[in-house]
Amino acid sequence: MFNRSRRNLASWFTLSMGSILVIFAGILYYQESVQQLEVVDLILYNKSKVITSSIKYKDYQGEKQVFLKNLPVLGNNPPPEDSDIIYARWYDTQGNLKRYFGQINQKKLTQRYAYRTLKITHKSDLTSPEIWVREITLPVEYQDKLIGYLQMAIPMTRVQELLHRFLILLISTVFIALAITGLTGWFLSGIAMQPIQLSYRQLERFTAHASHELRTPLAAILSNAQVGLLAPIEDSNSKHLRLEKVAEVAKSMNTLIGNLLFLARRTGRLTPESLKEVDLRNLLAELFNSPSVKTTAKDLNLKSDLPKSPIMVKVDADLICLAVMNLLGNACKYTPAGGMVELRLFSRYNQAFIEVEDNGIGIAAAHLPHIFEQFYRVEQHQTNSASGFGLGLAIAQQIIEAHGGHLSVKSEQGKGSIFQIKLPL
């Protein structure tokens, strides 16, 4: 699932960046085409001006006439061999063809375009008989009087070659950029999805552990019920013991399901409406003296060190009690009979500190980074029963982080542990 999501993210990133690159390349190609066309138009205009500057318009037999014999290209002298002029034509003011060089396609000037691009048949070029040319039709005036039209065309072969090379360069650049973008997208998507990858792994681990932990009590309930049904009818003591076992396992399963639902529902920070200003000193004193704590700390020395002045914080009182109760229960569970468990509260640096300390069996250094993970349990010997599902510390950490606080632990194997809660005042 993670790799598929990463591929999709990298693909969409490459597609979006590729679309931008293609659009940008298209704009560059269009601008280059326009610029090259402007260069051709300027060359064509300059050539036409050279020709028109040599036109003579003078009186002949009482009338003004245009003399074209001495014109470059159109005159009696042919153009040089290296000239790139495809054709040149002179039309009178009525649009009738009077003189021409090169191909003649139309004897009557019907359309007076300033510039246009045409595709013509060029008989002298056997390799490519059809070529694109740029044509200019220039009105010629003498003393503000129209005396005729000069029409001339030059090939666009060189421009086409330049644009073709430029297009190949753009396509190559786009493909190289797309390859680099794809690799970059794959790399960046991996970085961006690291938290999601962690969530995927946590979800997989949570699902595997939850399914295992749910199967265990269900198997115990089923086996005890089946044994009870197989027992003789008159054996009421055996049935009573089996029913007690079923009830005990069902209660354990109910606790597990409650913890799982809590972890699933309590995600992120708490809403402001759920936070109330409470006195931590009174809240912890009430919890410390509750029957549930006394029962949990049976055969242990339970102490409290609470300040005389109130410590006011904005919290969800029930959730804070649940977190502290989980820490106290965990401390009592791993402390041998006759050991000590102490609850402390103090404030410092605009923070409230709650500490639960015990002198029990402690936690090995290798296990410390993992003890707040869901379903993580340290397998070691202790005097008290250590049966559980490995969710108490995970729930406590989730509650404290939801309040904007921090839960940490210091422990040394064989000497006990200190769990510390930091809450902002």
Side-chain angles (χ1 to χ4, degrees):
M1 183 183 294
F2 170 76
N3 287 331
R4 184 170 66 250
S5 301
R6 185 180 182 182
R7 282 195 301 270
N8 292 337
L9 184 60
S11 300
W12 280 108
F13 177 76
T14 305
L15 180 62
S16 59
M17 292 300 296
S19 302
I20 295 173
L21 286 173
V22 169
I23 294 173
F24 182 69
I27 294 173
L28 284 180
Y29 183 78
Y30 173 77
Q31 290 179 339
E32 182 67 18
S33 302
V34 172
Q35 185 177 358
Q36 290 296 332
L37 198 59
E38 289 176 351
V39 171
V40 172
D41 289 345
L42 181 60
I43 295 173
L44 194 57
Y45 180 77
N46 290 334
K47 287 179 180 292
S48 63
K49 291 299 288 185
V50 171
I51 294 176
T52 57
S53 64
S54 302
I55 293 176
K56 293 182 179 180
Y57 184 67
K58 58 184 178 179
D59 292 329
Y60 180 74
Q61 296 179 354
E63 292 183 0
K64 292 281 189 180
Q65 293 187 6
V66 179
F67 291 88
L68 304 173
K69 292 182 179 181
N70 297 323
L71 290 184
V73 182
L74 286 173
N76 294 331
N77 297 322
E81 294 182 359
D82 58 349
S83 175
D84 58 352
I85 298 175
I86 300 297
Y87 59 81
R89 301 165 189 157
W90 177 264
Y91 296 91
D92 61 15
T93 55
Q94 285 74 39
N96 298 313
L97 182 65
K98 293 299 182 180
R99 201 171 185 88
Y100 70 91
F101 161 76
Q103 295 177 272
I104 174 171
N105 292 340
Q106 54 181 8
K107 295 183 178 182
K108 187 73 175 178
L109 183 63
T110 56
Q111 296 176 325
R112 292 169 173 81
Y113 291 103
Y115 294 96
R116 63 174 178 169
T117 304
L118 302 172
K119 189 176 185 180
I120 65 170
T121 301
H122 192 39
K123 296 180 180 178
S124 62
D125 191 351
L126 300 178
T127 59
S128 179
E130 289 188 341
I131 62 170
W132 289 94
V133 298
R134 186 69 169 170
E135 179 189 270
I136 183 174
T137 303
L138 184 67
V140 182
E141 295 181 349
Y142 180 80
Q143 294 181 353
D144 297 330
K145 181 181 178 181
L146 182 67
I147 61 174
Y149 296 93
L150 175 65
Q151 189 176 81
M152 191 171 61
I154 60 175
M156 297 187 66
T157 307
R158 181 175 175 275
V159 174
Q160 288 176 316
E161 290 176 356
L162 288 174
L163 290 178
H164 181 67
R165 287 198 294 268
F166 186 65
L167 181 62
I168 292 176
L169 177 63
L170 284 178
I171 293 174
S172 303
T173 304
V174 168
F175 275 111
I176 293 173
L178 281 177
I180 296 174
T181 302
L183 294 175
T184 305
W186 179 261
F187 175 73
L188 293 179
S189 62
I191 296 176
M193 292 191 65
Q194 281 181 356
I196 302 177
Q197 184 181 25
L198 180 61
S199 299
Y200 282 151
R201 291 175 179 173
Q202 289 178 344
L203 179 61
E204 291 175 354
R205 187 165 58 248
F206 178 85
T207 305
H209 285 301
S211 60
H212 171 73
E213 297 293 348
L214 287 172
R215 286 194 187 100
T216 301
L218 284 175
I221 291 174
L222 183 62
S223 62
N224 280 280
Q226 289 175 339
V227 172
L229 290 173
L230 292 175
I233 298 177
E234 62 276 3
D235 191 0
S236 58
N237 290 333
S238 177
K239 287 186 177 181
H240 183 73
L241 292 175
R242 294 297 173 186
L243 290 175
E244 285 183 348
K245 189 64 175 179
V246 168
E248 181 182 346
V249 176
K251 187 184 297 183
S252 174
M253 188 174 180
N254 183 58
T255 302
L256 172 61
I257 293 174
N259 290 339
L260 291 175
L261 290 176
F262 180 90
L263 289 171
R265 292 172 180 172
R266 299 281 183 174
T267 56
R269 298 292 294 267
L270 300 172
T271 59
E273 295 78 14
S274 63
L275 302 179
K276 305 294 181 183
E277 192 169 9
V278 298
D279 183 2
L280 271 182
R281 180 191 58 173
N282 294 336
L283 185 67
L284 294 182
E286 185 178 349
L287 175 66
F288 183 80
N289 296 317
S290 64
S292 58
V293 173
K294 300 297 182 183
T295 303
T296 304
K298 185 181 180 182
D299 300 328
L300 297 174
N301 295 319
L302 193 60
K303 298 180 181 180
S304 66
D305 183 8
L306 304 178
K308 296 180 180 179
S309 57
I311 298 180
M312 306 303 296
V313 290
K314 267 196 165 185
V315 294
D316 186 320
D318 293 335
L319 292 181
I320 293 298
C321 286
L322 176 60
V324 176
M325 186 63 197
N326 283 348
L327 295 182
L328 286 172
N330 198 68
C332 295
K333 185 186 301 182
Y334 291 100
T335 302
M340 181 272 297
V341 174
E342 184 176 1
L343 174 65
R344 289 192 294 268
L345 172 64
F346 57 93
S347 62
R348 188 184 301 162
Y349 308 121
N350 204 32
Q351 287 182 318
F353 293 83
I354 304 173
E355 290 185 348
V356 176
E357 182 179 0
D358 67 76
N359 59 355
I361 59 176
I363 305 170
H367 296 293
L368 284 177
H370 307 287
I371 61 171
F372 295 111
E373 296 177 4
Q374 298 172 7
F375 296 105
Y376 189 86
R377 284 174 292 188
V378 179
E379 298 297 336
Q380 52 189 352
H381 297 288
Q382 62 273 340
T383 54
N384 289 1
S385 174
S387 60
F389 302 106
L391 295 176
L393 292 179
I395 290 174
Q397 184 186 48
Q398 188 164 315
I399 290 173
I400 301 307
E401 289 181 350
H403 284 83
H406 179 68
L407 175 60
S408 60
V409 60
K410 294 179 182 179
S411 183
E412 187 176 349
Q413 194 168 16
K415 294 185 178 181
S417 307
I418 301 176
F419 285 86
Q420 185 183 76
I421 297 173
K422 295 179 184 179
L423 292 173
L425 291 178

